[in-house]
Structure formats: C-alpha cells, structure tokens
Amino acid sequence: MKKAIVTGATGFIGSSFVDFLTKMDIEVLALGRKEVNEISDARRRKLKSAQYLKLDMNEISLLGDALSGMGWEAGDDCIFFNLAWGGESGLSDLNVAAQMRNVVWSVSALEAAKKIGCSRFIHVGTMEEAFTQKYLELDHHKNNQYNRHVIYSVAKIVAKNALEIKASQIGLNFIYVLHSHVMGPDDDKNSFLQVTLQKLIRGDELIFSTGEQYFDVISVNDCSLGYYLICQKGRPGDEYWVGSGDPRRLREYVERMYNLFPSGAEMQFGKLPYNDIVLDKEVFSISRLAADTGYKPTMTYEQTVRELHDYFVESSPDK
C-alpha cells in the first residue's frame, strides 16, 4: 500500500487512523463532509500531513471527477478504507431512512473505488452487530430484550451483505472489519466507560448494572494499528475483529478504572437494570487477525485509561 483513501476522516477514529497512516509514509486522501475550518483543532492537526477533500457521502459517486480536478491519482496500490457512517441526529436515533442511506452510499463508495483503480475496499462495521445477530433470533412475543443500537447495526449488516455481493460482481477485493470499543483522547461520544471516568474525576455518584456482561476495550492507537495491518496483510474476502484479545466482564473494567483513579464514592453495582443480549467471550476473538497479520495490541487497558484521564484533566475548563 502506497496510497489510501479514507472516508469519515474527520471523526475520532478516522482522524487518528489518517494520522497513523501518514506517519507510516502512506500518501492519504482524507474525505469528510466538513469544511476545513469546521474541523476541531485536534483533528485538523491529525490530518495535516494528508490531503483533505470535502466530499459528502451522498456525492461519493463524483469522487473520480473530484480527483481529476485535484490531479490526484489512486494508482494500483491504493486502498479505499470506508469509515464514513452517519445518522440524522445520532447513530442510534432509530431513524430507519437515515441508516439505510448509509447502505446506498457505501455501495456507491465501492463502485467509485473500482472506477478510480483502487486495489481493495475495506469497510468498517460495528461491535453492535454481535448483539443484533442474537437479538434478531429472539421471539419478541416472549423476549423483551432491548438494544437502542439495533437499527444502526441492522443497517451495517445490510451494508456488509450488499458490499460482498457487489464487490464480487465488479471484481474488487473486499474485506470487512469489526472492532471492540475504542477509547482515547478527543472522543466526542458519551460512551459508558468514558462517562464513568468523568464521574470519577468529578466525584459523582456511581450507579451501574451488575456489569456481568462481557466487553472488550482497545486504544485508538491499537485500533489504527489493526486497520493498517489489515490494509497490508488482510486476506480478501475475510472478516477481521480488531480488539485486545482479552475481553473481560464490564464490571472488571469499571473496577480497574476505579483502582487507577479512586473517587471515594461507592461503586453501586446492580442498581441499574440491564435488559440486553449477553455476548460470549469468543465474539471478541482476534485470532484470525493475529494469525494473518501478526497483530498484537501495544497498550494495556490501564495505559489507555491514563491517557484519556490526562486528556480530560488537561482540557478541563477549570484548569
């Protein structure tokens, strides 16, 4: 891989991945829907060594024309990495139309990648698919489990199937990627562990479910490493999970975080109801990724939490 095109490049994971690629001397074209001056300073710094093109996914079919106007050529060693995915007012807003538009745009991106001569197309799914696959098997006349991410993840599953079929039809190498929960500085989503860390910093009340469900966490740096190795060594037609290789029960992640930054507040497990699918540890397996690419995480959970803690402290308005 000498070149890469990355969609969703202004996001938390996307900007970090672009930064990783450019540090590996890969020429990157970063695509995003925002004007440059609308991108946060932190993410704009991560994109500084890439060439940025404002192109909304509803216009991705025009990519070839845009590249011609820029004088940028993909070449036969260019990988198209599709991270872009959005919602009307958030990924889990249960908006069916907004989520299904992502499916259409993903297929359009695949077709654009083929047209400009990319050697392979890599599409990123979501950890929520593992919950949804089991959720869809339930008899909802008898079971009452609920997952607010279900429309989002169903659309991801539809996109995967559509992309596999279309890639086969047009003759473009296709790889599908899933990943565990990603943590790191500059994440603007209020994920459970991120919110918990903020509560520890503020000394807020700590009320949780039993926390017995299995979970997995990786740093944004290790997520980028996994992506990079898949670009380089992933097998066309395969599916890879990027994770830590050491999933634990959610309660343990909270307890380990508390041991690092104890607030003095009591951890009250079991006070909140949990009414969702419980995953097996095997769901988070990275064995195929490790075997095919040599992937091995570089950061421990504790290092990841410390990095995020320092970011919160440094960026606090009270500092």
Side-chain angles (χ1 to χ4, degrees), residues 122-178:
I122 300 174
H123 184 79
V124 179
T126 172
M127 181 173 71
E128 301 301 334
E129 292 173 47
F131 291 89
T132 298
Q133 294 284 9
K134 286 192 171 185
Y135 181 84
L136 294 176
E137 296 172 1
L138 297 176
D139 180 346
H140 293 286
H141 296 288
K142 300 177 181 179
N143 303 88
N144 64 351
Q145 282 90 341
Y146 175 71
N147 187 317
R148 67 186 178 89
H149 305 292
V150 67
I151 299 300
Y152 159 55
S153 51
V154 163
K156 283 282 193 179
I157 293 169
V158 172
K160 173 193 173 185
N161 293 331
L163 288 167
E164 285 178 337
I165 294 168
K166 192 65 179 181
S168 177
Q169 289 176 339
I170 66 177
L172 181 59
N173 289 336
F174 173 70
I175 297 175
Y176 196 69
V177 179
L178 298 155

Side-chain angles (χ1 to χ4, degrees), residues 23 83 103 132 198 202 220 226 250 253 258 284 315:
K23 288 176 178 175
L83 271 162
V103 178
T132 298
Q198 291 170 319
R202 295 191 301 261
V220 69
L250 189 58
Y253 285 109
Y258 190 91
F284 305 98
S315 59

Side-chain angles (χ1 to χ4, degrees), residues 258-319:
Y258 190 91
N259 288 338
L260 287 174
F261 304 106
S263 68
E266 178 188 0
M267 289 187 288
Q268 302 177 63
F269 289 101
K271 287 284 186 85
L272 287 180
Y274 182 76
N275 189 34
D276 199 358
I277 299 295
V278 176
L279 299 179
D280 299 325
K281 291 178 68 173
E282 290 71 25
V283 167
F284 305 98
S285 174
I286 63 169
S287 57
R288 179 178 297 177
L289 177 63
D292 287 355
T293 72
Y295 171 81
K296 185 177 181 180
T298 64
M299 292 181 66
T300 66
Y301 172 68
E302 280 72 17
Q303 289 171 323
T304 303
V305 171
R306 286 193 183 98
E307 183 181 60
L308 183 57
H309 175 273
D310 291 347
Y311 168 77
F312 283 147
V313 172
E314 287 295 322
S315 59
S316 171
D318 299 328
K319 187 177 180 297

Side-chain angles (χ1 to χ4, degrees), residues 56-301:
D56 197 285
M57 286 299 288
N58 63 11
E59 301 175 322
I60 195 65
S61 61
L62 303 177
L63 178 60
D65 294 335
L67 296 189
S68 296
M70 298 168 58
W72 201 93
E73 295 184 3
D76 59 3
D77 196 19
C78 179
I79 289 179
F80 195 111
F81 204 94
N82 194 37
L83 271 162
W85 198 275
E88 195 68 29
S89 59
L91 293 180
S92 300
D93 58 9
L94 303 180
N95 187 311
V96 175
Q99 289 304 308
M100 289 302 138
R101 284 195 290 270
N102 287 300
V103 178
V104 175
W105 296 338
S106 295
V107 174
S108 294
L110 178 81
E111 294 171 329
K114 175 66 175 180
K115 185 176 181 180
I116 63 177
C118 291
S119 59
R120 63 173 52 178
F121 185 93
I122 300 174
H123 184 79
V124 179
T126 172
M127 181 173 71
E128 301 301 334
E129 292 173 47
F131 291 89
T132 298
Q133 294 284 9
K134 286 192 171 185
Y135 181 84
L136 294 176
E137 296 172 1
L138 297 176
D139 180 346
H140 293 286
H141 296 288
K142 300 177 181 179
N143 303 88
N144 64 351
Q145 282 90 341
Y146 175 71
N147 187 317
R148 67 186 178 89
H149 305 292
V150 67
I151 299 300
Y152 159 55
S153 51
V154 163
K156 283 282 193 179
I157 293 169
V158 172
K160 173 193 173 185
N161 293 331
L163 288 167
E164 285 178 337
I165 294 168
K166 192 65 179 181
S168 177
Q169 289 176 339
I170 66 177
L172 181 59
N173 289 336
F174 173 70
I175 297 175
Y176 196 69
V177 179
L178 298 155
H179 58 74
S180 298
H181 177 65
V182 181
M183 285 181 65
D186 193 38
D187 184 1
D188 54 7
K189 295 183 178 63
N190 293 324
S191 62
F192 168 72
L193 289 176
Q194 179 166 303
V195 169
T196 299
L197 182 56
Q198 291 170 319
K199 287 181 178 180
L200 290 176
I201 293 171
R202 295 191 301 261
D204 292 351
E205 192 173 25
L206 304 172
I207 300 176
F208 311 112
S209 69
T210 59
E212 293 301 309
Q213 61 271 37
Y214 277 104
F215 200 65
D216 191 40
V217 179
I218 53 169
S219 70
V220 69
N221 298 322
D222 283 331
C223 182
S224 295
L225 171 62
Y227 287 175
Y228 172 73
L229 291 173
I230 290 168
C231 288
Q232 296 282 56
K233 301 178 181 180
R235 297 176 182 270
D238 268 352
E239 179 179 310
Y240 295 98
W241 189 291
V242 182
S244 74
D246 187 28
R248 303 293 183 93
R249 296 193 186 277
L250 189 58
R251 175 172 181 151
E252 184 173 338
Y253 285 109
V254 173
E255 291 171 338
R256 289 165 67 183
M257 182 180 284
Y258 190 91
N259 288 338
L260 287 174
F261 304 106
S263 68
E266 178 188 0
M267 289 187 288
Q268 302 177 63
F269 289 101
K271 287 284 186 85
L272 287 180
Y274 182 76
N275 189 34
D276 199 358
I277 299 295
V278 176
L279 299 179
D280 299 325
K281 291 178 68 173
E282 290 71 25
V283 167
F284 305 98
S285 174
I286 63 169
S287 57
R288 179 178 297 177
L289 177 63
D292 287 355
T293 72
Y295 171 81
K296 185 177 181 180
T298 64
M299 292 181 66
T300 66
Y301 172 68

